[in-house]
Amino acid sequence: LYTIKEVWRRLKAKGLSVSKSQFYRMLKNPVYLGHTFIPAWEDQPEKFTYDTHPAIIDEHLFMKVQRIVDSGTSKGRSR
C-alpha cells in the first residue's frame, strides 16, 4: 500500500506534471465519471449533471478511491 504522496511521487517520476494538491483534486473530481458540476446561477441552484460526456473510469473504481482517500488523515496518509 502507498500513501497518496508516494503515488504522486511515483507518477511524477514517470512524467506527471501536476502539483500534489492538483493530484489530490484529480482523485476527488467527479468529471472522470462523466459528471459535470454546474454552479448556482440567478435563481437556479448548483447541481451535477450526469452522463454529459463519456466516463474515463467506472463508478465502482471511483468510489473505491474515494473510500481510500477519505479514510486517511488531512496530512495525506491515505493508503
Side-chain angles (χ1 to χ4, degrees), residues 11-67:
L11 291 171
K12 191 167 172 92
K14 292 184 176 193
L16 182 70
S17 61
V18 299
S19 69
K20 280 188 292 185
S21 60
Q22 287 173 313
F23 180 66
Y24 182 79
R25 284 194 304 271
M26 286 172 60
L27 294 176
K28 301 291 287 178
N29 194 339
V31 167
Y32 297 107
L33 292 174
H35 302 176
T36 303
F37 176 72
I38 300 174
W41 187 70
E42 293 186 354
D43 62 339
Q44 299 295 316
E46 64 183 31
K47 66 178 180 177
F48 274 98
T49 60
Y50 300 94
D51 302 322
T52 55
H53 59 274
I56 296 171
I57 61 171
D58 66 44
E59 189 168 0
H60 177 74
L61 176 59
F62 183 81
M63 296 312 295
K64 185 176 179 180
V65 170
Q66 301 317 297
R67 283 191 298 277

